[in-house]
Amino acid sequence: MPPFRWEDIDHSLVSLRLTNLAEEMHSQIEADERHIQFENRGNLNGNAVPSQVLKMKEDRADESARRTYEIYCDVWDKQGYVKSASFVRAVFARGIVPVLRARKGAIAGEFSMFAKRTSFPPVLRDGMMKGFQLNMQRMEDRWRRRLEIEAKECEHAEKIARLSPQIAQGRHAMAMDTFPEIQTEPNRQFPAGEISQPVHPLPTTPHTKKPGRSPRLSQDFVVRSGTLWREAIFDSPNKVSLDQLRQIASELDAAGHSPPSSYLEGKYARDLKEFNSRNSNSKIGPLKTWSQLVSHGDKDHLQGMRRLLCRCAEKVDEDHPPSGIDSGQKTSS
């Protein structure tokens, strides 16, 4: 694999797609803000709308970072290249971090203008801004951790690819050492009248087990979603909150596990496909990502997501039971 260079990316194509993304996100933020104001039209708590708008913009910043990363990966793939550790780290440093910090500055400026225009209490303003700054820093740290994990996985894949020819060569040499007669014994000539014995091939172990049906969900999805659900119920055993579901959705989208209709079970998958078909040309639009599914807030869709995540967590527990628990025992979520 040739060494990665940032200049090799088709930045003109990336720029065009990022411009479309910025316009789309701007429209979505405006629509979300109008929706929040409409939902709180009778709310006497003056802090409700600003706090909800601030949280909504945090979520949209996270979505912008995710979709920016997807654009870079898609353009790189269309150019015929394969993701490498250097590519992932470069996109984080020169693509994701600037997006997150630009959004953080823009949101802070918009909130300051709102506070000045509405005479928002300075104490509340400073407290909300401090919390916002901490949340954005945590978001950047999560992205750094997530992409560093992916970069290290790429490094292992690259190492295996480099060593594969050597491993194959070593196995061939080992086979020659174990069965030297295969390569060293010449063709034996039998004297006239001598009866030659037939040469039987080495015995092979028959395949007695028939291959079963391939699992519907990939192992990576089961492990990732099950682990995220276990972490969520560990933090709040009574019920996984909507914010926790939103974070899980963001993680699944970043890992490329979309659309949700391909993962949900039974009637939940059918209901979502029917919903997407009905709204394919509507203002709501189809729910193609987990983040969109959570943001839409339909109770049946959320119930299907919770059920799926719970089942994946049970599967993870069965395959990797916690220490001190017998593998035959069941753990309830």
Side-chain angles (χ1 to χ4, degrees), residues 3 36 57 63 65-66 70 94 161 185 197 276-277 279 321:
I36 291 171
K57 289 183 177 180
E63 184 181 352
R66 174 182 61 79
E70 291 173 354
R94 306 178 71 168
E185 184 176 356
Q197 297 294 329
N276 288 342
S277 177
N279 294 277

Side-chain angles (χ1 to χ4, degrees), residues 56-81:
M56 175 271 293
K57 289 183 177 180
E58 288 177 21
D59 295 338
R60 289 301 184 184
D62 193 27
E63 184 181 352
S64 295
R66 174 182 61 79
R67 295 181 62 180
T68 297
Y69 181 62
E70 291 173 354
I71 287 173
Y72 274 102
C73 292
D74 187 56
V75 169
W76 191 239
D77 178 68
K78 282 181 169 56
Q79 290 182 246
Y81 296 111

